Amino acid sequence: MPALSDTRALLFARFAEESLNVRDEDGFRGLVRQHVQPLLPHATLLAAIGRVHFDHLQILHIVDVDYPQPFLESLPRVFRVNERPAFARWLSTRSAVVLDTGSDEVPMSEQERAEVEVIGNGRLVIHGVPDLSGYMGSFLSFAQVPRDIPADDARMVVNLLCPHLHAALCRLPQPLTKDDAVLGNLTQIEKQLLGLLAAGRTNAEIAKLRGKSPDTIRNQLYKLFDKLNVGSRAEAVSLLLASKTLSDIRID
């Protein structure tokens, strides 16, 4: 396992300190250009915030650092694990993965190989923070990492950088999504029902707490699910946990 030299350890300490001061996207880009580049030379970085589940990544927001605009415009918003073996490797190992078209170390789909060739000029390093609760995860893709940097060294550096970059991303103001708009239009009763669902209450318990019949609660939940365009209690709660508009809702 490689180790940081004294010089790089000082650079990393400065990066970690400066990462705490990031408050907007320009600040994040400045952090990457000034403090990540010396630790891991690369051409571009794609940083995505979204819901990282065991079987897919749903991108909610992207902060790019010098990424090609045409690629960003064509980037899918959902990545399926069963279609992307390299992505699956990252999720299963919870560690940085080096994708290199000149190496067979990490299996890639044809789509992944094409992306690495076009965007990464043959080499990408990916990592992030999976979030199986569906609340907020991150995905980082460092493109065009020079091949003279050993894979073990690149993995070590990205593993160290990732938690700090993830924390910085989570502090950024996030634009409202379509789900946020729907949640923001819920009635007070619907918000209360959603909070009770998030607390794990059964229909019978909700009925008792609200002084209503179980049939009434069942009908109210059907209407709530229809409004949220979800098919289950778990999906409804997942929307609540990911929401930026209902952070003050009571869950009890």
Side-chain angles (χ1 to χ4, degrees):
M1 174 69 69
L4 290 177
S5 65
D6 290 345
T7 299
R8 293 177 83 191
L10 288 173
L11 289 173
F12 178 78
R14 181 65 185 275
F15 154 77
E17 180 181 3
E18 291 297 325
S19 71
L20 298 174
N21 299 321
V22 172
R23 291 295 181 270
D24 55 35
E25 292 187 12
D26 286 341
F28 183 86
R29 293 186 179 98
L31 175 74
V32 172
R33 291 174 179 138
Q34 296 175 35
H35 299 286
V36 174
Q37 278 281 2
L39 288 163
L40 182 75
H42 64 282
T44 63
L45 169 66
L46 183 142
I49 282 289
R51 298 168 188 157
V52 185
H53 300 275
F54 68 93
D55 63 346
H56 72 279
L57 163 67
Q58 179 185 3
I59 294 177
L60 300 177
H61 184 56
I62 290 174
V63 181
D64 75 286
V65 184
D66 305 319
Y67 238 74
Q69 194 62 34
F71 177 78
L72 289 175
E73 293 173 354
S74 63
L75 188 70
R77 285 303 187 261
V78 176
F79 290 85
R80 300 290 178 186
V81 172
N82 61 0
E83 299 171 355
R84 292 176 170 268
F87 184 78
R89 170 80 166 261
W90 163 61
L91 277 178
S92 65
T93 62
R94 302 290 198 275
S95 182
V97 176
V98 177
L99 306 182
D100 192 329
T101 55
S103 169
D104 295 327
E105 180 182 352
V106 178
M108 289 182 274
S109 67
E110 289 301 316
Q111 179 68 29
E112 288 174 319
R113 185 171 291 276
E115 291 169 354
V116 173
E117 191 61 53
V118 173
I119 303 302
N121 197 23
R123 204 171 195 227
L124 290 175
V125 183
I126 62 172
H127 199 8
V129 176
D131 178 30
L132 301 184
S133 71
Y135 176 56
M136 180 177 281
S138 63
F139 180 74
L140 305 168
S141 175
F142 297 86
Q144 300 182 36
V145 176
R147 282 199 167 103
D148 60 1
I149 298 177
D152 284 348
D153 188 78
R155 280 190 289 265
M156 175 197 66
V157 173
V158 173
N159 282 335
L160 290 172
L161 294 172
C162 183
H164 299 275
L165 292 174
H166 171 77
L169 283 170
C170 290
R171 287 195 299 272
L172 300 183
Q174 303 295 321
L176 294 182
T177 66
K178 183 173 67 174
D179 290 340
D180 289 312
V182 172
L183 287 165
N185 288 327
L186 294 182
T187 66
Q188 194 59 39
I189 290 176
E190 289 168 337
K191 292 177 182 179
Q192 291 170 0
L193 286 173
L194 193 52
L196 291 168
L197 289 181
R201 300 285 190 175
T202 65
N203 284 12
E205 289 173 328
I206 295 174
K208 184 176 181 180
L209 287 168
R210 295 192 54 77
K212 304 290 183 180
S213 71
D215 286 342
T216 297
I217 296 301
R218 187 183 306 109
N219 289 333
Q220 289 178 336
L221 289 177
Y222 281 149
K223 291 178 181 178
L224 174 62
F225 292 171
D226 184 62
K227 195 170 186 177
L228 296 177
N229 193 29
V230 299
S232 69
R233 305 164 84 92
E235 289 182 58
V237 172
S238 179
L239 288 184
L240 170 62
L241 294 177
S243 170
K244 296 177 283 294
T245 61
L246 296 181
S247 59
D248 59 342
I249 195 169
R250 288 186 59 184
I251 299 177
D252 55 18

